[in-house]
Amino acid sequence: EGEEAAVELADALSRGEDATGIQNIWAKRGDEVFRNPHRGLIEDLDSLPFADYSLEDHFVLEHGRVVRMAHEHLERFLLYRYTTSTSRGCILNCSFCCHNAFRKMYGAKAGNTRRRSVGHVIGELEQIKRHMPYVKRIVIDDDSFMDASVEYIGDFASQYKARVNLPFMVTGFIPITVTEEKTEALVNAGLYNVRMGIQSGAQNTKRIYRRNIKDSVIVRAASIFDKFRSSIR
C-alpha cells in the first residue's frame, strides 16, 4: 500500500532530503540498495481521501503537448464511467494473486477484507456526480465485494439508490459469496453487470491456483445472476 509512503517520498524529494529510509520503499544510492521494512496495513480506509479529480494542478499529454487537464479530457478518457473501490483484501488465497503475497508479508491478518464505510463510499460518488455530470455509470472494482455482510450490502443498496441512482457494475464477485438476498438488493439499486472470477473448470488447474471452488457452486452463482437478469433496468 503506497499512500503514506508516496507522500513521504514526495515530501523528502521536494525538500532535497534523503529518501532511502522510507518504509514500504526500496531505494538505491550508488551500488547500495536500501530494503526498508513494510509498514502496517491501513485499517481505517475512511481515513484516505477521495481520488483527486480537481483540474487546477493536473496536466495531460495531448498531441505531443502538455496541457492543463479539462473536463473534456476526463469525459473522453473515462468513457462516461467512474471506477472506485470499496474494500481491500480477499477471503481467498489464490496462488496467482497479490493477496497471496500480502499474506506472506502480513500473516493471516491480511486475509481480512477491510471495508470503507457505506457513507464514505456514497460521499465519494455524490462528489463525482456533482463535479462530473457526464459520468453515467459506476464501476466498483473490488476483489471480494459480496463477502460483505447482508447488512452492509443492504445499507449500501439503499443509500446508493437514494443518493446516487446510476447504473453500476461490480467486478469482484467470488462464487461462494453470491446469494439471492444480496443480489436482489444490488439489482434493485441499479446493478446491471457483474464480473465473477471462475479461473478454470479443470481440477488440476484449480489445485495449482489454490482455487478449489466446486463447479456446482459456480453454476449456482451463475443461476442466481440469471434469475435477476429480467429485473435489470
Side-chain angles (χ1 to χ4, degrees):
E1 297 185 320
E3 287 88 357
E4 295 170 346
V7 171
E8 290 184 21
L9 176 62
D11 285 344
L13 294 176
S14 68
R15 294 192 296 262
E17 298 175 355
D18 178 62
T20 59
I22 299 173
Q23 288 183 326
N24 273 20
I25 288 179
W26 284 19
K28 185 176 183 180
R29 185 171 58 198
D31 293 330
E32 184 177 7
V33 176
F34 298 84
R35 297 174 173 84
N36 298 303
H38 53 265
R39 63 189 73 208
L41 294 170
I42 301 172
E43 297 293 344
D44 180 12
L45 298 184
D46 284 8
S47 67
L48 299 174
F50 301 151
D52 182 8
Y53 280 90
S54 60
L55 303 178
E56 290 76 12
D57 55 358
H58 287 73
F59 298 83
V60 63
L61 183 65
E62 183 178 49
H63 305 305
R65 297 173 55 246
V66 176
V67 298
R68 187 180 297 277
M69 178 76 80
H71 280 291
E72 65 183 50
H73 299 113
L74 288 174
E75 185 173 1
R76 186 165 73 249
F77 297 155
L78 294 176
L79 299 175
Y80 309 103
R81 298 180 301 178
Y82 178 75
T83 301
T84 190
S85 176
T86 70
S87 68
R88 293 182 181 180
C90 183
I91 59 175
L92 301 181
N93 190 27
C94 303
S95 61
F96 56 81
C97 185
C98 65
H99 296 297
N100 180 268
F102 282 158
R103 280 178 169 82
K104 293 176 181 177
M105 294 168 62
Y106 294 102
K109 185 177 183 180
N112 299 326
T113 305
R114 293 163 287 148
R115 296 192 179 281
R116 298 166 58 191
S117 68
V118 171
H120 195 260
V121 176
I122 299 301
E124 175 191 8
L125 299 180
E126 285 183 317
Q127 177 176 287
I128 291 301
K129 283 191 68 175
R130 287 194 301 270
H131 295 296
M132 295 192 288
Y134 38 83
V135 168
K136 302 302 180 184
R137 297 180 184 273
I138 302 297
V139 179
I140 297 176
D141 191 16
D142 288 18
D143 290 318
S144 187
F145 179 81
M146 207 183 251
D147 77 307
S149 67
V150 172
E151 292 75 19
Y152 183 97
I153 294 289
D155 188 20
F156 171 84
S158 177
Q159 292 200 45
Y160 185 93
K161 186 173 184 178
R163 298 166 57 184
V164 182
N165 199 32
L166 291 173
F168 71 99
M169 70 171 293
V170 178
T171 64
F173 281 146
I174 299 172
I176 58 176
T177 67
V178 176
T179 70
E180 285 195 25
E181 184 176 6
K182 293 178 181 179
T183 302
E184 182 176 21
L186 295 172
V187 169
N188 288 338
L191 177 70
Y192 75 95
N193 195 4
V194 301
R195 186 179 72 195
M196 180 173 69
I198 295 174
Q199 275 61 51
S200 177
Q203 296 305 312
N204 187 53
T205 303
K206 289 182 180 181
R207 179 185 58 80
I208 295 172
Y209 284 173
R210 294 207 299 270
R211 180 83 175 204
N212 295 316
I213 296 177
K214 295 180 179 179
D215 292 346
S216 60
V217 175
I218 296 172
V219 172
R220 179 193 62 80
S223 298
I224 290 174
F225 292 142
D226 184 66
K227 177 179 179 179
F228 291 97
R229 181 170 55 176
S230 61
S231 302
I232 295 174
R233 62 188 182 186

